[in-house]
Amino acid sequence: MSDRPVVKIPYLDGWRGLAIIAVLVCHFGPRPAVGWIGEYGVQMFFVLSGYLMGQLLFVKKVGLPEFFFRRASRILPALLLFIACMYLYARYLQPQRYEVPMDELLATVFFLRTYLPSDLSIWAGNWPIGNLWSLNVEEHSYVVLALLALIARKTGRDRTASMLLIACVLASIAFSFYYYSDPPSGASRWALRSECAALGLLTSALLCQMRQFYEPRVPRHVWAGAVITLIILSAFLTSAYRIKGGNIVFAPIFLAIALNYLHCLPELLKTLLSNPALVWFGKCSFSLYLWQQPFYTAVQKAGLPTMLGLAGAIALACLSFYMVENPLRIRLNAYWTNRQRRRASAEVSPAIEPT
């Protein structure tokens, strides 16, 4: 296992900040002119997640228990609070009451809502949890990536991970083209299913893993131009080119390539991405992602003024981040670190023989 520390890179937080801002603009901005921006923002999240998970699992080779514990500490406190609040809101407060069936509630909690119940879409709108489809994709992808990392570690060959990741990327592309012509049964739209929607995430993880062994000998300024071109092209594909699923297949791949070579951008652009405002949005992005949904629903269905909805979403997200998500994550991670230190200390301490 590598002992290199995980380094915080501000412009990656800025990238995450742009992603959540894109979602907010989509939900609270003028429509339909900017409706595609939300989809683009989600893809920005996916490729960044793939890159970061690739770093942890295939480069740094973090232990799987630590990987899953830290992931759980990052999302579960805020997520479970959100689901509980939305359950109570739907049952007692929303204009059209909805008592969430137990099977739907369990599917939501266990990241299966995109698939189950099979007769009720996650976008049915009975209660405001439609945004969780993308979280489902991420959690399913993390399980797959962890499994691939485990297989690679058992075989003792890092290149095994490359082959497995390539197979997953090709399978995701095949699923997307197949579903485009022959959509599967089930209430949720096929593009929300993890086997299709995870393409950008898997591609980004693959590129991150393969860059350990092979870096194309291309001048930095050429890569910088390629990154900018790919970002623009992926945005164009998402916004305008939907023939044969161009926004589903090609845009995520182009965006994954761009993200993996983001370090080649000119310093000015990286400085702009490292802007404190963007970095703040990036750090609060998960709570913003969760709590914008009920306000977006209220704007769309109950006539809540748009700016009031946006302000409410940001305010509640701040409460969630500073009172729940961040403090509990810090405490849980501190507990894990101290536990590991105690275990390591016990393993290296000499045994005391009884006299």
Side-chain angles (χ1 to χ4, degrees):
M1 179 186 296
S2 171
D3 58 0
R4 287 175 293 176
V6 176
V7 179
K8 279 285 187 180
I9 303 176
Y11 63 77
L12 293 182
D13 278 330
W15 176 278
R16 187 186 285 112
L18 280 178
I20 191 61
I21 289 172
V23 173
L24 294 175
V25 168
C26 174
H27 284 179
F28 299 99
R31 298 180 66 87
V34 296
W36 65 273
I37 291 179
E39 179 182 342
Y40 193 71
V42 171
Q43 290 298 339
M44 290 178 70
F45 275 122
F46 284 163
V47 298
L48 179 59
S49 292
Y51 173 81
L52 295 175
M53 295 309 108
Q55 283 283 330
L56 289 172
L57 291 171
F58 301 111
V59 179
K60 185 174 172 60
K61 298 182 180 177
V62 167
L64 297 189
E66 179 180 355
F67 172 78
F68 283 113
F69 184 89
R70 291 189 181 276
R71 179 61 186 170
S73 72
R74 169 81 167 84
I75 70 162
L76 285 185
L79 174 65
L80 294 177
L81 174 64
F82 172 77
I83 292 175
C85 289
M86 293 305 97
Y87 174 86
L88 295 174
Y89 171 76
R91 185 168 185 175
Y92 299 110
L93 296 175
Q94 75 178 13
Q96 292 185 332
R97 304 291 193 268
Y98 180 65
E99 186 169 347
V100 182
M102 184 55 64
D103 61 341
E104 185 179 356
L105 179 62
L106 290 175
T108 302
V109 170
F110 289 102
F111 309 108
L112 297 172
R113 186 59 190 82
T114 315
Y115 298 89
L116 300 172
S118 59
D119 59 345
L120 186 65
S121 171
I122 192 172
W123 283 354
N126 295 325
W127 58 314
I129 51 91
N131 55 326
L132 297 185
W133 75 268
S134 56
L135 186 62
N136 292 349
V137 173
E138 292 209 358
E139 299 314 307
H140 299 164
S141 300
Y142 295 163
V143 172
V144 171
L145 291 176
L147 178 60
L148 300 187
L150 178 62
I151 294 172
R153 294 175 195 181
K154 291 294 185 182
T155 61
R157 298 181 61 188
D158 287 334
R159 295 186 186 275
T160 300
S162 299
M163 301 305 297
L164 293 172
L165 283 165
I166 290 172
C168 287
V169 168
L170 293 176
S172 184
I173 294 173
F175 273 118
S176 295
F177 279 117
Y178 178 72
Y179 286 167
Y180 188 86
S181 59
D182 187 14
S185 60
S188 293
R189 183 168 171 257
W190 65 268
L192 307 184
R193 295 167 68 116
S194 298
E195 60 266 33
C196 300
L199 176 58
L201 192 155
L202 295 172
T203 303
S204 191
L206 168 64
L207 293 171
C208 177
Q209 193 272 341
M210 291 187 68
R211 285 177 53 212
Q212 297 179 88
F213 315 107
Y214 176 70
E215 279 280 9
R217 294 185 178 180
V218 178
R220 190 182 183 92
H221 70 276
V222 175
W223 265 123
V227 167
I228 295 171
T229 300
L230 289 170
I231 290 173
I232 294 172
L233 185 56
S234 60
F236 170 74
L237 288 170
T238 305
S239 65
Y241 186 73
R242 296 176 180 271
I243 299 174
K244 294 185 179 180
N247 61 315
I248 301 295
V249 175
F250 301 110
I253 293 175
F254 294 158
L255 203 56
I257 298 171
L259 187 279
N260 271 268
Y261 289 93
L262 207 63
H263 62 279
C264 294
L265 286 176
E267 290 302 318
L268 175 61
L269 293 180
K270 288 192 287 188
T271 300
L272 290 175
L273 273 177
S274 303
N275 178 279
L278 284 180
V279 170
W280 181 85
F281 272 96
K283 290 181 177 178
C284 298
S285 60
F286 183 61
S287 284
L288 285 165
Y289 158 80
L290 291 176
W291 291 100
Q292 57 78 35
Q293 190 67 22
F295 288 95
Y296 166 63
T297 302
V299 168
Q300 295 297 308
K301 293 188 174 182
L304 181 70
T306 301
M307 290 298 100
L308 184 59
L310 177 59
I314 293 176
L316 203 52
C318 286
L319 288 174
S320 172
F321 179 76
Y322 289 110
M323 298 184 67
V324 178
E325 178 190 338
N326 200 46
L328 287 180
R329 178 184 60 83
I330 291 172
R331 290 184 181 183
L332 289 170
N333 286 343
Y335 162 79
W336 176 268
T337 299
N338 291 334
R339 179 174 177 269
Q340 294 303 99
R341 285 175 180 171
R342 289 194 300 269
R343 176 175 294 181
S345 177
E347 289 177 353
V348 300
S349 297
I352 300 177
E353 296 292 340
T355 58

